[in-house]
Amino acid sequence: MNIDQIIINLEKQHPGEVEYFQAVREVLESIQEIYNQNPQFESASIIERMVEPDRVLIFKVPWVDDRGQVQVNLGYRIQFNNAIGPYKGGLRFHPSVNLSILKFLGFEQIFKNALTTLPMGGAKGGSDFNPKGKSDGEIMRFSQAFMLELWKLIGPETDVPAGDIGVGAREIGFLYGMYRKLARENTGVLTGKGRGWGGSLIRPEATGFGNVYFANEMLKTKGEGFSGKKVAVSGFGNVAWGAVQKATELGAKVVTLSGPDGYIYDPDGVSGDKIDFMLELRASNNDVVQPYATEFGVEFHPGKHPWEVPCDIALPCATQNELDQSDAKHLIDNGCICVCEGANMPSTPEAVEMLQQSGMLFAPGKAANAGGVATSGLEMTQNAMKISWTAAEVDKHLHGIMKDIHQQCEYYGRVNDQYVDYVKGANIAGFLKVANAMIDQGVI
Ligand code: NDP
Ligand code: 2IT
């Protein structure tokens, strides 16, 4: 496999899709050796087939704002690969959304979903719609207009979207309501649904909980745990919220949260009522974390990343490429022992290389944030069986799945007695499952 040539070909066909090329390069570098050892992959052109989505759907979403003005956004759904199960992956509503970002997310989702042990293919979608500052009515009208187009492409056994940045329980509610009306069915076509209408307990917390479970598995290999540790978290959304809760429950102190405006430093720890305040802040449709500092009288550092704060464990839970080389240097210099990605691709490739070379524990998002989509899979199971499990049952499955993913990463990523390359392990384990399924099922 000639990685540079594959990337050059992709650049020719899809100019400017930088996030997408970044995600593809990382996977190819990890799997190169195993790919070359198995000629059946090359003769079936597995890589060429895997790097192109099955289909990309782009549609306009016209809607009416509160002033009566018609607005137009772009909607997307990228159905990447369904070799091991129905297309599955979140919807992101954020002004930065474009084809490159959604393709990188959809591509990552293929391997992440394969790691969960559940039968789910990879997809992603969303819109450049900005939910910040919008009224509930505007969000409802936008979500309904979005679903008016999307519903033709999805179904409980075909493609099952969920939330991501800017899409939480409220948006899933509006989307589901419109789907139900159009399709005349109540099914598990979306996950992250409300508890009273098909949602699963623990799904809201699952990505953050799973992230901490994964970090804990890594720490255990070094005889460590969360108790008494100082933790830096970025973001203040859904994933950060779950991670803060679980890290605190395990006896750690979470000292930072961040937003696009900067980060807050809370030396006493984000716990109790402060965690509830995070939820209110996110639901308030503002896009800044600064009100936390005002509310609790703690430091706010405008325009900065939280990684300069000394910590033992770092959980990046905001967005892609939010932890760069200089952030990695701060973490290493301050004696951080573990970086466990809650967001998708939050560390730049240069930062990943530095963190790994330092010898610290480093887990990529596709392994360490898979608890969210795994619990979506558990929601699909409950919907199909028309039952609901208790929180303890779902949490037990989630915990077991995160341990399993950790084992898969260790199996394929062990470098020596001392070091596991979790990036390589996750990519190889995910790749082999999907590639073998594609070969078993022929050229389609
Ligand atoms: P939310 O919308 O709930 O929260 C995202 C948070 O990150 C918000 O606080 C947002 O602030 C903040 N943020 C966005 N851009 C930046 C930035 N440039 N710098 C700092 N903060 C920023 O989304 P989620 O918590 O659901 O998603 C967070 C990450 O986790 C994403 O990478 C997502 O793809 C990933 N993920 C999500 C899963 C899920 O189940 N929800 C599952 C697995 C991964 P603001 O809104 O003000 O921009
Ligand atoms: O990035 C992700 O894994 C998600 N946003 C969750 C996807 C899902 O289908 O639950």
Side-chain angles (χ1 to χ4, degrees), residues 14 17 20 53 78 80 99-107:
H14 309 290
E17 295 183 358
Y20 176 53
I78 299 178
F80 232 110
L99 196 52
S100 171
I101 289 179
L102 294 182
K103 276 175 74 176
F104 116 64
L105 289 163
F107 185 70

Side-chain angles (χ1 to χ4, degrees), residues 77 88-92 102 109 123-126 160-164 167 373:
R77 186 70 180 166
K88 180 85 194 87
L91 298 171
R92 177 176 290 194
L102 294 182
Q109 202 81 42
K124 202 80 187 189
V160 183
D164 192 78
V167 178
V373 72

Side-chain angles (χ1 to χ4, degrees), residues 88-91 105 109 112-113 124 160-165 191 203 207 344 369-370 372-374 376:
K88 180 85 194 87
L91 298 171
L105 289 163
Q109 202 81 42
K112 183 195 304 192
N113 293 4
K124 202 80 187 189
V160 183
D164 192 78
I165 291 181
T191 57
R203 177 63 187 90
T207 313
N344 285 308
N369 71 33
V373 72
S376 279

